[in-house]
Amino acid sequence: MFSGPARAPSVLFNEKVMAGLGRGVVSTGLLEVKAMKATLHSLARFRYLASLMGVPEPTTVATAAVRQASNGSAFLEQIRGLGLSVELLSGDEEAEAAGYGVIAGIEDAKGIVGDLGGGSLELARVENGKVLERESFPLGVLRLSLIREGGEGELRKEVKKLFKPKGWMDFGKGLPFYLVGGSWRSLARIHMYMARYPLPIVHHYAMPGTAPASLVRAVAKLDRNLLKEHNIVTGARYPTMVDAAALLWEIRRLLQPSAYIVSATGLREGLHYRQLSDSEKALDPLIEAARAEGELHGRFPEHGDLLDRWISPLFVQESTIDRRLRLASCLLGDIGWAANPDFRAERGLEVALHGNWLGIDARGRAMIGQALFSAFGGGNDRPAILRKLATEEELKRAQNWGLAIRLGQRLSGGVATPLKQSGVSVSGDQLILKIKGDVELLLGDAVERRLRQLGNALGKSPEIGRT
């Protein structure tokens, strides 16, 4: 169940059930009675809860397991008997939805999307916000062990035989491979654990092109209890890890991607994304989510956009990427007001680092985190985690955003009129605050302190003038 902005929906309710529909299909060609029963119960429960939440007809789709099963059609009729209008996706449709799911969460994605499920692997080539070639292959994790039982090299032969005819071995050379699906997300968490990666966010986590080799070795040696204890891999996922890593290794050999980037958005987000209008698709998911969060937890709507315009004269040389991060920081620049004053800086840092943001990598999270930390009273300090995610130069830039936001918030009290009556700029070695009308009404000790603090950070001498 999704809620919030159409371009950046947040999950209102989510429930995953490992029913094992594909397990029987691999061995007998049939969906097992036990798996169908568990699935029907879960669907009935979800439909009931969805109706209570105001969604009487949730989108319902069936994928590879039902598509491949000889009793799949009969099972679809049972689902329709629950009052759900279920659609059986073709392999190409499933691959396309996964591709658009990645685009929904990583809007500049360019490369190959690989969605690994139980019964199949879907590949889709994405570029410029579009899904191009796409195809489904019988290489799900439940099938891989049977292929590998044929002997060393059998998986490679099978993957090459399936990929080569339509050019997949040429499409993605030197480009990222985007990982979708629970088994591959679990592999990424293992890699994060081995790399001592400080941020527990798997979305947009990037692994180097050499990662499959280390993962193949790791899954063969890592202690299962250790993985469960550190919440890295669940017990239900653990049996698929060896085969998922083996497939990733063959993809490395055959497709030669430059890196592996994890996407937490996949098929369901892709189905939602396809329903959006062109104007909605063109919106920035990070900015839309930050604006919604700011409106929900801030005091005054639309203040963030005005604040960004107010401080922008101080940062005219910034790149388009950093201007976007600065705007997101301003949109979130009032979310800490209700927190305990002693912990507002930590509140801003936590929101930036651990929020359910789309369209942003770890560097971006760190820069927004530093901006909010400084805006909410953290000053020039650098939380240790941020030093591991961004460079000192980047954090210094974000700190200055935060100090400028802090000045604007203190000057205006969070309302629009004082910002419209004033402006900040840099001229030579001076940081200039200009105010229209009665200067004394807006000035005070706190404002002057924050102006000096920002001036020191920028290496400029603060000046106050009237226009």
Side-chain angles (χ1 to χ4, degrees):
M1 297 288 293
F2 290 122
S3 180
R7 183 60 185 88
S10 56
V11 176
L12 184 65
F13 176 72
N14 179 53
E15 189 167 88
K16 185 175 184 65
V17 177
M18 302 288 282
L21 270 180
R23 193 170 295 113
V25 177
V26 172
S27 57
T28 67
L30 294 168
L31 299 168
E32 294 179 346
V33 173
K34 183 178 179 181
M36 288 191 291
K37 185 177 180 180
T39 301
L40 290 170
H41 172 75
S42 299
L43 288 172
R45 165 181 158 76
F46 194 91
R47 182 183 183 278
Y48 174 67
L49 292 176
S51 68
L52 296 179
M53 297 177 194
V55 183
E57 296 186 18
T59 300
T60 310
V61 298
T63 56
V66 178
R67 192 167 60 239
Q68 296 163 359
S70 57
N71 59 344
S73 296
F75 183 54
L76 290 176
E77 288 305 311
Q78 290 183 277
I79 296 174
R80 294 184 181 108
L82 300 175
L84 293 168
S85 299
V86 61
E87 176 187 2
L88 178 62
L89 299 181
S90 68
D92 280 4
E93 289 171 332
E94 188 175 351
E96 182 182 63
Y100 278 118
V102 170
I103 291 169
I106 307 173
E107 56 185 347
D108 61 349
K110 179 181 178 180
I112 304 298
V113 171
D115 184 358
L116 180 61
S120 63
L121 168 72
E122 278 68 48
L123 294 185
R125 185 164 75 90
V126 296
E127 185 175 357
N128 295 325
K130 299 292 184 182
V131 175
L132 304 174
E133 295 84 2
R134 62 266 196 189
E135 193 170 354
S136 180
F137 302 94
L139 292 170
V141 288
L142 298 177
R143 296 180 177 276
L144 296 178
S145 60
L146 293 177
I147 297 172
R148 296 177 69 224
E149 285 174 2
E152 186 176 351
E154 285 303 307
L155 179 60
R156 183 174 308 148
K157 292 177 186 177
E158 183 68 13
V159 173
K160 187 174 183 179
K161 180 182 75 174
L162 292 169
F163 283 4
K164 191 173 183 179
K166 293 188 179 179
W168 287 103
M169 292 169 61
D170 299 316
F171 290 152
K173 284 185 179 180
L175 294 173
F177 189 89
Y178 297 90
L179 302 172
V180 177
S183 294
W184 274 342
R185 284 196 299 274
S186 294
L187 281 180
R189 290 191 180 95
I190 292 174
H191 192 273
M192 292 164 72
Y193 174 76
M194 293 191 301
R196 298 186 178 182
Y197 186 66
L199 189 63
I201 303 293
V202 72
H203 182 64
H204 220 300
Y205 178 68
M207 298 184 288
T210 56
S214 61
L215 285 169
V216 167
R217 293 191 296 268
V219 295
K221 297 179 180 179
L222 284 175
D223 180 77
R224 179 173 185 168
N225 292 327
L226 178 69
L227 297 177
K228 290 176 66 176
E229 179 184 343
H230 290 273
N231 199 29
I232 300 168
V233 179
T234 65
R237 287 285 180 204
Y238 187 82
T240 70
M241 291 296 92
V242 171
D243 292 324
L247 179 60
L248 197 61
W249 170 244
E250 299 306 334
I251 286 172
R252 164 65 178 165
R253 292 175 62 92
L254 297 173
L255 301 190
Q256 300 176 36
S258 61
Y260 304 88
I261 299 176
V262 185
S263 176
T265 53
L267 183 141
R268 65 180 185 181
E269 289 81 10
L271 294 173
H272 169 77
Y273 182 85
R274 289 194 308 183
Q275 298 174 5
L276 301 180
S277 66
D278 288 343
S279 60
E280 287 174 322
K281 290 176 182 176
L283 296 172
D284 187 321
L286 173 63
I287 300 305
E288 290 300 295
R291 180 171 286 115
E293 189 78 2
E295 291 176 355
L296 180 64
H297 295 292
R299 293 167 292 179
F300 305 103
E302 299 304 318
H303 184 69
D305 292 284
L306 179 58
L307 187 59
D308 181 63
R309 290 193 294 272
W310 191 79
I311 70 172
S312 63
L314 304 178
F315 308 106
V316 292
Q317 300 300 320
E318 285 183 341
S319 67
T320 301
I321 294 173
D322 283 355
R323 285 199 298 271
R324 174 176 177 263
L325 297 175
R326 171 163 49 84
L327 173 56
S329 301
C330 289
L331 292 169
L332 296 169
D334 198 37
I335 62 169
W337 72 272
N340 184 300
D342 293 334
F343 296 97
R344 284 176 182 162
E346 287 76 9
R347 162 70 174 156
L349 181 64
E350 193 277 330
V351 167
L353 290 181
H354 302 140
N356 190 28
W357 310 116
L358 300 179
I360 188 171
D361 59 10
R363 168 193 177 271
R365 286 176 182 267
M367 292 185 71
I368 294 176
Q370 181 67 65
L372 296 182
F373 185 80
S374 296
F376 297 156
N380 301 331
D381 290 349
R382 296 278 185 278
I385 187 174
L386 301 185
R387 295 183 183 275
K388 299 177 182 179
L389 301 174
T391 67
E392 174 58 26
E393 180 183 357
E394 290 165 342
L395 295 178
K396 172 68 173 176
R397 190 180 314 136
Q399 167 205 290
N400 292 343
W401 300 343
L403 295 177
I405 291 170
R406 187 168 174 81
L407 171 62
Q409 295 287 47
R410 176 54 61 188
L411 176 75
S412 68
V415 295
T417 300
L419 293 182
K420 293 178 179 179
Q421 293 177 340
S422 62
V424 285
S425 62
V426 169
S427 179
D429 63 355
Q430 290 185 328
L431 168 65
I432 303 171
L433 171 61
K434 288 189 176 182
I435 300 174
K436 296 178 182 178
D438 193 341
V439 174
E440 300 304 323
L441 278 177
L442 288 180
L443 288 182
D445 289 344
V447 173
E448 293 182 25
R449 277 199 311 273
R450 294 188 181 184
L451 180 64
R452 287 195 299 270
Q453 187 181 24
L454 176 59
N456 290 337
L458 294 173
K460 306 294 182 183
S461 174
E463 296 290 337
I464 299 173
R466 178 183 294 173
T467 61

